[in-house]
Amino acid sequence: MLGGARSGKSHYAEEWARQQGGAVLFVATAEAHDDDMRERIADHRAARPPDWHTLEAPRNSAGQIAACDFPHDTLILDCITLLTSHVLLELPEAATQRAANTAVLGEIERLLAVYERSDATWLVVSNEVGMGVVPPTRLGLLFRDMLGRANQRIAGQADEVLLLVAGLAWRLK
């Protein structure tokens, strides 16, 4: 599920999982660094059904998913945007585009390897940030480029790709 901020991506994924039934593993990549984010995370947690299992995995999501022993039919990974941000922010400030590419796509490849071994349906949420303003900073440009590459790689493996705009889903693949 791709889309801009507040486009309905997470809600769409959660509703789809509710309708399918079965055990759900929700993989959260957000971290609460301020009061606003703490409130958003708390609201998201409260909105999820109590029988869903939440795995907090802002880093090394692939390894944490692989090690998780909660049996699940559906996995919601929310979101690649924050995961990409975390990977980039762990790099040295002077990291090259090549180093950023290696770090971000390495994490994506590890996720796809876990996906390939999984019997669950995966719903992956990510922002589409390449349709807006060109970022004015080096880190902003790296983030836009790396997230775009991550989204392309995941979309290439996905059975379906949806773009959400104003809560409406457009089927891309």
Side-chain angles (χ1 to χ4, degrees):
M1 272 119 233
L2 297 169
R6 305 294 170 268
S7 63
K9 305 174 300 291
S10 297
H11 179 74
Y12 190 95
E14 290 172 8
E15 284 302 310
W16 190 94
R18 278 186 186 94
Q19 291 174 10
Q20 299 307 305
V24 176
L25 174 61
F26 189 95
V27 181
T29 62
E31 288 184 308
H33 292 292
D34 59 33
D35 289 339
D36 287 338
M37 193 56 138
R38 276 188 278 284
E39 186 176 321
R40 286 179 59 190
I41 290 171
D43 290 347
H44 278 270
R45 282 183 186 142
R48 290 194 290 269
D51 59 326
W52 287 13
H53 181 77
T54 299
L55 175 64
E56 304 284 343
R59 287 169 187 73
N60 185 26
S61 296
Q64 291 191 59
I65 293 167
C68 182
D69 60 1
F70 178 77
H72 53 280
D73 304 298
T74 303
L75 181 147
I76 299 174
L77 176 54
D78 194 358
C79 72
I80 297 298
T81 311
L82 290 173
L83 183 61
T84 298
S85 176
H86 298 314
V87 170
L88 289 175
L89 291 174
E90 288 180 348
L91 295 174
E93 193 171 319
T96 64
Q97 176 105 12
R98 179 174 286 141
N101 194 56
T102 298
V104 170
L105 292 182
E107 179 65 17
I108 298 305
E109 291 304 324
R110 288 186 291 278
L111 279 169
L112 291 173
V114 174
Y115 163 73
E116 288 295 325
R117 294 188 305 268
S118 173
D119 292 329
T121 298
W122 282 40
L123 307 174
V124 180
V125 175
S126 188
N127 285 55
E128 175 51 66
V129 297
M131 299 168 76
V133 176
V134 174
T137 65
R138 181 178 179 280
L139 182 58
L141 289 167
L142 267 178
F143 172 74
R144 181 204 57 193
D145 292 352
M146 294 306 101
L147 184 58
R149 288 187 181 121
N151 288 343
Q152 286 181 51
R153 183 66 185 102
I154 293 167
Q157 284 294 119
D159 296 322
E160 293 183 59
V161 178
L162 302 176
L163 175 66
L164 277 96
V165 177
L168 303 173
W170 291 355
R171 188 169 310 280
L172 302 178
K173 177 181 175 184

